[in-house]
Amino acid sequence: MKKTLLLAITFFTIGTVSAQFPVGGAPASKPIPGTATDQTPKGNSKITGFVIDSAATKAVEFASVALYNKATGKAVDGTVADEKGKFVLNKIVAGDYKMLISFLGYQNKTIDNISLAKGQDLDLGVIKLTPNVQTLNEVVVTGQAALIEEKVDRLVYNAEKDIASKGGDATDVLRKVPLLTVDLDGNVSLRGSQNIRVLINNKPSTIIASSVADALKQIPADQIKTVEVITSPSAKYDAEGSGGIINIITKKNSLQGLNLNVDAGVGNRGSSLSLNGSYRKGKAGFTLGGFGRANYNMITKTSLEQTSTANNITTTTQQTGDGSSRMLFGQYNLGFDYDLAKNQSLTAGVRYGVRNFINQQDLITRLITNGVTGATSSRDVEAKNLSGTVDINVDYLHTYKKPQQEWSISTLYSRNDLTNNFDANLLNGEGALTSRQRNLNGNVNQEFTLQTDYQTPIKKNQMIEFGAKGIFREVNSNYRYLRAGATGDYTIEAGQPSGELLYHQNIAAGYSSYTYTTKKRYTFKGGLRYEHTFIDASTRENGVLGIANYGVLVPSINASKTFKGTTFKLGYNRRIQRPGLQQLNPNFNAANPQNITIGNPTLRPELTNNFELGLSRTIKKAFVNATFFGRITNNAITQVRQPSDTLAGAIVTTYENIGRQHAYGANIFTNIAVTSKINIGIFSNIFYSRLTGQALGENGVSQEFTNSGMNVSGGMFSQATFKNGWGAQAFGFLQGNQVQLQGMQGGFAFYTVGIKKDFKNKKGSLGLAGENFFSRRFNIHSKLTSPQFSQISDVFLYNRGVRLTFTYKIGKMTTDAPKKKARSVNNDDVKSENSGQGGTGAPTGGAQQRN
């Protein structure tokens, strides 16, 4: 396979200033050090340090740092800590100073008697801020992080503050994140688009090729620190994910010593156990963890009525189904990091994940052909979705004396072995076994990634970044059908499809990015990224598929400015979406012979242009954010349904590059500090979508179809803290009907309430959470229509649940200044089975760097 790496040349772009709620930082009247308005006398000395939360031992992002002349009391310089809590004051004149460190929600910290000699490089080490209740502009907040923070290019949900999700998995957390919608099967969409990329600590995994929903179920909610929703990714991110990127940051420990965290939960529909330990001594750190989760007592009932016309025969299908599911998930990881030198670090990790999903369903079907009612048939199906994933990463980071100048090399090997089989017993109207059918579908998806990144500041108000990346993928899918009588051995079933897909996809990419802050504090960040994709695909039955290679140039621009307390953000980016394994897989899945799915290995990528304008402001005790967006997608990968030519009454679903999609709407959310102990949040997602594509019309002739309408969803959450370690939280969400090319998918609702009690020593807690306890079941009612068929389906989900959770921390840690660890691979790539993206990224032994 030809391997090429093309590096895009630099362009004018923009960086962005972070804004969050609560908001902290130096007064607006103070000039930014190093910009055109900064007239501070310059010397050759430097002061550095780290600001951390004294209670949570974590970085205090964007804390304000002010340096005062001790003799005159006048401010001589200042800065803001970065997202790791680090601050740097350069070019300071020798003398005696005092320093004031402050941030909203913390007590001010003053450091007296700072004596700085000429040319001295003074490291103040770790500086602890004590949480406190403070009032600023009538906004009352506590010393804990807000549940939701809003930054220039992303929204951050602080999941570690989420009480009700304890004992659950990542889907329970993502349901509560504004901008996101998670259906009852765990499929995630952002602003109505499932064409998203899910990363874990900025890293991907081959498990995304199967299902993002299943991948998220392998991530324990207790281990999630934050969820970042990146709506306008910069050029540094892969071009994949037309809807945006979801980055799940897990909890990490950079403290000296030994510790062990135990998290457990038990409920009427699921149980979990998680053990995570870490040890750090001097330059070396180790992590070892394991997580197991079992879901059971999961009941689903279905009802289907569809009418189709093929070969001048009209068939009506009436079908009911009773099903149950059980799932086992496991995740195990080993990590290591080592400081090779003061400015060099090495990080390595191994992660193994396993999934065992068994779905049993009893289907009763009656066919009415040209008005004549046929016999009733029964089909008992057991479908197995099994996978094992291994991820191995080794990463190197080199920093320089100049702040924020660094160079990194990252590698990742990932492999996913996936089994999608089903066994079906075919019964007659009297319930007697007549025959058996089996579909075997084994898949192997593996990839190797090598990337390098370099960044360096130009003065203090500019930054340039560039890098290159290569991804080498191989997908193999082998499938066949077997049949047997009521007794006897299985043999290959004649007339049923069988074959093998071999799909090689290699990607060469290069990017450059430039950030500039003007003297009037406008911030711009822009970039260009070029990706070239080489494809070599073949099937056993048809030989080489002849899919052409392609390249794409991806620009991105972001800008921000604050006017009189209101922050404005403007962004544009172009994204691509490559097809995923299940969309490519030519296996003929007829577990339900009336609803058949088959992939299309000749799919091409889709291209999307995204525009957004955001406004945010604090109004008394409320923080309000509104984002208006537009999304235009060409060559869209769209599900297309049509009647089967060979199976009476069956509808076949496949994927085609025939769609055009336009979406325009708004995301609005507000966070209200009712008191210093109670917060309430309200969010809504409203957009208009228009879909256009080709499908079979009357007389079997292809014609253009258009469908459009409003899509509405929203929710509300609240959290409260009380005396003696008690806390409570409630959440509710409602999703309306969703527009599809050939109809609409039904909506649903979801709600949870939880309480938690911390032990006096803060080392453990007990929690109790209930889900959907007022409702026996939910019904998702969907309608699909075309000139050749109509389909009405109802899916009844029984998910009333309750769970008891327990957490405990063992070990005594000592504080050590956090150090940057090597960056890890970040593949923002590949469309999944459910049109979304997912990943259970490769492990790592140390803290991960956010892009």
Side-chain angles (χ1 to χ4, degrees):
M1 170 67 64
K2 181 180 179 181
K3 299 178 179 67
T4 304
L5 202 60
L6 300 173
L7 187 61
I9 310 233
T10 132
F11 45 50
F12 180 79
T13 117
I14 88 88
T16 95
V17 171
S18 295
Q20 67 173 6
F21 177 74
V23 179
S29 60
K30 177 164 174 46
I32 301 175
T35 63
T37 59
D38 181 19
Q39 304 299 323
T40 304
K42 303 302 178 186
N44 60 354
S45 300
K46 182 171 73 171
I47 302 175
T48 60
F50 288 90
V51 185
I52 70 169
D53 185 313
S54 64
T57 60
K58 65 178 182 179
V60 178
E61 300 181 1
F62 315 118
S64 297
V65 180
L67 188 67
Y68 294 88
N69 184 297
K70 192 171 183 181
T72 65
K74 293 183 178 180
V76 297
D77 206 350
T79 188
V80 176
D82 64 17
E83 61 185 14
K84 300 298 180 183
K86 182 179 180 180
F87 67 86
V88 179
L89 292 171
N90 284 304
K91 298 182 179 180
I92 306 300
V93 177
D96 295 327
Y97 301 95
K98 67 177 180 178
M99 180 178 290
L100 176 67
I101 300 100
S102 61
F103 191 71
L104 188 63
Y106 293 88
Q107 296 179 11
N108 291 346
K109 177 81 171 185
T110 300
I111 302 176
D112 290 313
N113 302 320
I114 297 178
S115 296
L116 201 60
K118 185 176 182 179
Q120 182 180 359
D121 187 347
L122 177 61
D123 185 356
L124 297 178
V126 172
I127 302 169
K128 298 180 181 180
L129 294 188
T130 303
N132 191 14
V133 177
Q134 296 182 348
T135 302
L136 180 65
N137 295 335
E138 298 183 328
V139 179
V140 183
V141 296
T142 64
Q144 60 184 4
L147 189 63
I148 295 175
E149 300 177 49
E150 191 264 339
K151 300 184 180 180
V152 67
D153 64 341
R154 67 194 66 191
L155 178 142
V156 180
Y157 179 83
N158 288 301
E160 60 185 346
K161 300 298 179 182
D162 189 334
I163 297 172
S165 291
K166 297 292 183 183
D169 55 41
T171 57
D172 298 307
V173 175
L174 265 60
R175 281 193 177 101
K176 303 173 184 179
V177 181
L179 309 184
L180 300 184
T181 299
V182 183
D183 68 21
L184 296 179
D185 291 324
N187 303 313
V188 184
S189 61
L190 169 58
R191 293 174 172 168
S193 173
Q194 291 188 0
N195 298 337
I196 55 178
R197 180 59 165 152
V198 176
L199 304 173
I200 312 298
N201 296 324
N202 296 301
K203 301 185 302 296
S205 172
T206 51
I207 196 174
I208 65 172
S210 56
S211 170
V212 60
D214 291 340
L216 293 175
K217 290 183 175 68
Q218 296 188 35
I219 306 171
D222 310 87
Q223 292 302 309
I224 298 176
K225 178 184 178 183
T226 61
V227 177
E228 301 178 340
V229 183
I230 306 171
T231 58
S232 187
S234 69
K236 191 169 187 176
Y237 287 96
D238 289 355
E240 196 75 24
S242 58
I245 295 172
I246 299 172
N247 189 24
I248 298 175
I249 305 296
T250 59
K251 297 175 182 177
K252 297 175 284 287
N253 177 47
S254 60
L255 302 180
Q256 295 285 324
L258 174 68
N259 87 315
L260 176 67
N261 294 337
V262 181
D263 298 281
V266 60
N268 65 321
R269 299 195 186 278
S271 300
S272 64
L273 176 64
S274 175
L275 299 173
N276 290 277
S278 66
Y279 177 75
R280 176 169 293 279
K281 183 68 174 179
K283 296 182 178 181
F286 301 87
T287 60
L288 179 65
F291 166 73
R293 178 178 174 86
N295 289 345
Y296 41 80
N297 194 25
M298 302 169 61
I299 300 172
T300 302
K301 296 182 182 293
T302 60
S303 173
L304 172 69
E305 182 166 337
Q306 64 188 27
T307 300
S308 62
T309 301
N311 302 321
N312 296 320
I313 298 175
T314 299
T315 305
T316 298
T317 301
Q318 297 174 343
Q319 185 184 82
T320 59
D322 289 305
S324 62
S325 303
R326 62 183 187 274
M327 292 181 280
L328 290 174
F329 300 96
Q331 176 178 281
Y332 316 95
N333 61 81
L334 172 65
F336 168 77
D337 65 82
Y338 184 75
D339 297 325
L340 300 172
K342 183 178 180 180
N343 62 340
Q344 299 181 64
S345 66
L346 185 70
T347 300
V350 178
R351 176 200 169 277
Y352 179 73
V354 61
R355 180 180 76 248
N356 188 325
F357 179 27
I358 308 297
N359 181 45
Q360 293 178 310
Q361 194 168 34
D362 299 334
L363 301 173
I364 300 176
T365 306
R366 182 187 299 274
L367 300 182
I368 303 173
T369 306
N370 288 336
V372 179
T373 302
T376 299
S377 63
S378 299
R379 183 181 179 93
D380 296 343
V381 184
E382 181 180 79
K384 296 181 179 180
N385 189 329
L386 317 174
S387 79
T389 305
V390 62
D391 301 304
I392 304 171
N393 73 291
V394 179
D395 310 303
Y396 168 82
L397 176 67
H398 188 292
T399 59
Y400 299 85
K401 290 184 178 180
K402 183 189 293 188
Q404 295 184 297
Q405 183 183 13
E406 60 186 49
W407 171 55
S408 64
I409 300 176
S410 304
T411 63
L412 169 69
Y413 172 76
S414 185
R415 176 185 173 114
N416 175 236
D417 290 81
L418 174 67
T419 298
N420 262 322
N421 297 342
F422 76 78
D423 287 276
N425 293 329
L426 281 65
L427 313 173
N428 60 22
E430 288 72 38
L433 179 64
T434 59
S435 61
R436 294 170 292 156
Q437 186 182 51
R438 173 175 291 172
N439 175 222
L440 301 179
N441 183 206
N443 305 272
V444 177
N445 186 8
Q446 53 186 338
E447 65 181 49
F448 174 76
T449 303
L450 174 65
Q451 75 178 60
T452 182
D453 301 280
Y454 177 79
Q455 69 177 43
T456 183
I458 305 174
K459 299 182 179 179
K460 286 189 177 181
N461 63 334
Q462 301 175 59
M463 171 79 76
I464 187 169
E465 303 170 85
F466 53 85
K469 186 173 189 176
I471 307 174
F472 309 95
R473 292 194 176 102
E474 180 182 281
V475 174
N476 179 270
S477 178
N478 199 314
Y479 56 95
R480 65 186 187 276
Y481 272 85
L482 305 176
R483 196 163 188 108
T487 59
D489 297 331
Y490 282 96
T491 59
I492 295 178
E493 184 174 0
Q496 291 286 358
S498 64
E500 181 180 14
L501 170 68
L502 185 60
Y503 195 94
H504 292 274
Q505 182 189 83
N506 294 345
I507 302 169
Y511 75 91
S512 180
S513 161
Y514 175 69
T515 301
Y516 177 67
T517 301
T518 71
K519 62 182 180 180
K520 293 186 178 181
R521 305 188 72 173
Y522 288 88
T523 306
F524 303 92
K525 183 173 184 179
L528 285 176
R529 184 181 186 92
Y530 181 79
E531 295 189 355
H532 200 90
T533 303
F534 305 89
I535 296 179
D536 181 9
S538 62
T539 61
R540 182 192 301 161
E541 56 274 25
N542 296 321
V544 177
L545 297 179
I547 304 174
N549 303 330
Y550 57 88
V552 60
L553 185 64
V554 182
S556 65
I557 297 176
N558 290 287
S560 70
K561 171 65 176 175
T562 299
F563 296 94
K564 298 180 179 180
T566 300
T567 299
F568 294 82
K569 299 184 300 181
L570 185 65
Y572 164 77
N573 62 80
R574 192 182 192 209
R575 312 287 292 168
I576 67 173
Q577 192 73 49
R578 298 181 180 92
L581 172 59
Q582 292 303 318
Q583 293 168 321
L584 298 168
N585 188 1
N587 179 47
F588 192 82
N589 189 333
N592 181 349
Q594 302 309 117
N595 272 304
I596 300 166
T597 59
I598 182 171
N600 179 1
T602 64
L603 286 173
R604 305 283 292 171
E606 59 185 34
L607 300 174
T608 299
N609 291 298
N610 294 295
F611 308 84
E612 71 173 49
L613 170 64
L615 301 91
S616 59
R617 183 180 179 87
T618 298
I619 305 173
K620 294 186 177 181
K621 294 185 178 182
F623 173 74
V624 181
N625 173 273
T627 303
F628 305 91
F629 69 91
R631 184 175 62 244
I632 303 173
T633 301
N634 293 310
N635 206 37
I637 298 173
T638 306
Q639 279 191 340
V640 178
R641 300 170 177 87
Q642 63 187 51
S644 170
D645 291 332
T646 57
L647 296 175
I651 302 297
V652 179
T653 300
T654 188
Y655 301 88
E656 299 287 351
N657 287 114
I658 57 176
R660 297 191 303 275
Q661 300 179 1
H662 292 212
Y664 309 96
N667 310 115
I668 302 172
F669 75 88
T670 182
N671 198 7
I672 305 170
V674 180
T675 70
S676 62
K677 301 292 186 180
I678 301 175
N679 284 302
I680 295 177
I682 303 172
F683 61 92
S684 63
N685 307 309
I686 304 170
F687 66 95
Y688 169 84
S689 61
R690 179 182 175 88
L691 297 84
T692 302
Q694 297 285 330
L696 290 181
E698 296 181 2
N699 302 319
V701 178
S702 179
Q703 67 182 71
E704 186 173 87
F705 289 87
T706 299
N707 195 17
S708 62
M710 297 297 297
N711 301 262
V712 180
S713 65
M716 181 176 181
F717 60 86
S718 64
Q719 65 173 4
T721 56
F722 307 106
K723 294 181 178 179
N724 301 319
W726 285 95
Q729 187 179 73
F731 168 77
F733 178 80
L734 178 65
Q735 169 68 61
N737 294 335
Q738 300 177 72
V739 177
Q740 297 188 343
L741 177 62
Q742 293 173 299
M744 69 88 182
Q745 179 178 322
F748 62 91
F750 191 92
Y751 54 89
T752 63
V753 174
I755 58 173
K756 186 182 75 167
K757 174 66 169 71
D758 290 326
F759 301 156
K760 288 185 177 180
N761 58 9
K762 298 291 185 181
K763 285 193 172 184
S765 66
L766 283 173
L768 181 67
E771 302 171 349
N772 309 311
F773 39 83
F774 289 127
S775 307
R776 178 170 172 261
R777 67 183 187 184
F778 284 117
N779 176 23
I780 300 179
H781 180 76
S782 301
K783 295 181 179 180
L784 301 172
T785 59
S786 85
Q788 289 195 319
F789 77 90
S790 64
Q791 182 186 87
I792 299 176
S793 65
D794 290 278
V795 178
F796 301 94
L797 300 175
Y798 295 75
N799 53 7
R800 177 189 290 169
V802 61
R803 61 174 176 261
L804 177 68
T805 62
F806 167 79
T807 63
Y808 195 75
K809 299 177 182 179
I810 302 172
K812 184 177 181 180
M813 314 297 291
T814 59
T815 303
D816 190 19
K819 296 182 180 181
K820 281 194 172 183
K821 299 303 175 186
R823 295 182 183 277
S824 293
V825 165
N826 174 6
N827 288 349
D828 318 315
D829 205 1
V830 181
K831 190 167 182 175
S832 77
E833 173 187 9
N834 301 304
S835 301
Q837 301 303 316
T840 56
T844 179
Q848 301 304 311
Q849 297 300 312
R850 276 186 238 175
N851 286 330

